[in-house]
Amino acid sequence: MTETVALVTGASKGVGRGAARALGSKGMTVYLTARSEEELNAAAAEVDAAGGKGIAVVCDHGDDAQVKAVIDRIEREQGRLDLLLNNAAAVYGDELARPGGYWEKDLKLADMIVVGLRSDYVAAYYATPLMIRTGGALIANISFYGAVSYFVGPAYGAAKAGTDKMVHDMAIDLAETDLSIVSYWPGYVRTDAFKAIPDEYFPEPLRAILPEFETPEFTGLVIAALLGDPDRRALSGKALIGAELALKYGIKDIDGKQPRTWVAEMGRPQAFFVAG
């Protein structure tokens, strides 16, 4: 049986790290990229412990040449790439949470459009030829409800809305291939770092909804199911809510809950017009 090969960008922490663990639990060979070698090595070890094979590759996703080198290495070592999970992002949490308008905050917040939207484009650009040759492959870009509602400011919103539209248009270019691409919306996620903070440190009403936060592994489980869906081509180009896909595939979170959608509070993915 041919091994499934995945690349998870921004995998040293957060959703990327948890998703990589979940992909490892499915027996995948998972390449993990980020800038921190120490954190990457620890994340790769977690993939191994979950039952897969983790391969840490230090990569700054703001440097196109480094991204190309990662894809070249995967092709050289594996000869295939079944799944690209684009999660790398420049997120400055403290600055985003600071009160004030965008013009009153550090201009570095615009980096989210570079390491986020642009870096997803670059990774897809270099990975697509290999993934077309692999056949039956999937690119999944992490987005969020901030694509259609105000969430922590315009730089974040632009990156997420741009991700959804980029996926829609890439799918049109890929229509004659067997490579699918989707934009994936997780819900609120309680990451490893988030879990280390005791509940009582959070104010209400946030504390009240903490039990409804997804684990970071949930994203990986759902995306693995999507990769294995023989009808995934019908979803190519769409922005998909993880909790809704989980219901379709009969997946619960690793803590046993059925994650909720946040559609009522923050909206539903936009439908884009296709000129004809």
Side-chain angles (χ1 to χ4, degrees):
M1 180 177 176
T2 304
E3 282 188 353
T4 301
V5 179
L7 166 60
V8 181
T9 74
S12 63
K13 56 188 175 182
V15 170
R17 186 164 179 165
R21 289 195 294 263
L23 298 177
S25 74
K26 300 298 182 181
M28 296 188 193
T29 295
V30 184
Y31 285 77
L32 304 88
T33 64
R35 292 183 297 175
S36 170
E37 183 173 10
E38 182 178 356
E39 290 181 324
L40 266 182
N41 287 336
E46 291 171 359
V47 173
D48 292 343
K53 180 180 180 182
I55 302 172
V57 185
V58 175
C59 176
D60 179 350
H61 281 270
D63 184 334
D64 298 352
Q66 290 188 40
V67 178
K68 181 179 185 301
V70 173
I71 302 301
D72 288 346
R73 175 176 171 180
I74 294 172
E75 182 167 17
R76 184 172 63 251
E77 293 179 353
Q78 307 295 334
R80 64 185 296 114
L81 180 59
D82 300 272
L83 173 64
L84 168 59
L85 175 53
N86 274 320
N87 174 69
V91 179
Y92 306 101
D94 291 343
E95 188 66 13
L96 282 169
R98 190 168 64 82
Y102 65 89
W103 66 95
E104 300 171 297
K105 299 182 182 182
D106 198 305
L107 188 57
K108 70 183 180 182
L109 292 182
D111 291 350
M112 287 187 288
I113 302 171
V114 179
V115 181
L117 177 56
R118 186 183 185 280
S119 62
D120 287 358
Y121 185 102
V122 172
Y125 178 88
Y126 288 119
T128 290
L130 174 59
M131 299 184 79
I132 290 174
R133 292 195 298 272
T134 298
L138 171 69
I139 299 173
N141 293 346
I142 298 298
S143 186
F144 192 64
Y145 296 85
V148 296
S149 61
Y150 185 92
F151 188 83
V152 301
Y156 184 92
K160 298 309 181 185
T163 295
D164 290 358
K165 181 58 164 64
M166 179 179 70
V167 162
H168 171 268
D169 291 1
M170 284 183 169
I172 293 173
D173 286 355
L174 293 168
E176 301 303 318
T177 77
D178 193 29
L179 173 58
S180 304
I181 183 167
V182 301
S183 190
Y184 178 94
W185 291 15
Y188 289 120
V189 180
R190 194 156 191 184
T191 63
D192 298 339
F194 202 167
K195 284 187 290 187
I197 303 172
D199 289 4
E200 56 267 25
Y201 280 68
F202 297 100
E204 294 289 356
L206 176 59
R207 190 189 311 169
I209 63 172
L210 287 176
E212 300 183 83
F213 277 41
E214 298 170 7
T215 71
E217 286 87 351
F218 181 70
T219 289
L221 293 176
V222 176
I223 289 175
L226 177 59
L227 175 63
D229 185 346
D231 297 323
R232 67 184 168 279
R233 292 289 298 139
L235 299 175
S236 190
K238 299 182 182 300
L240 305 171
I241 295 172
E244 291 182 343
L245 278 181
L247 287 171
K248 171 183 171 70
Y249 296 130
I251 295 172
K252 291 188 176 182
D253 208 337
I254 61 170
D255 58 8
K257 70 174 177 295
Q258 192 72 59
R260 60 173 285 190
T261 76
W262 300 90
V263 169
E265 295 80 7
M266 291 190 287
R268 176 168 290 284
Q270 181 177 351
F272 296 107
F273 178 72
V274 180

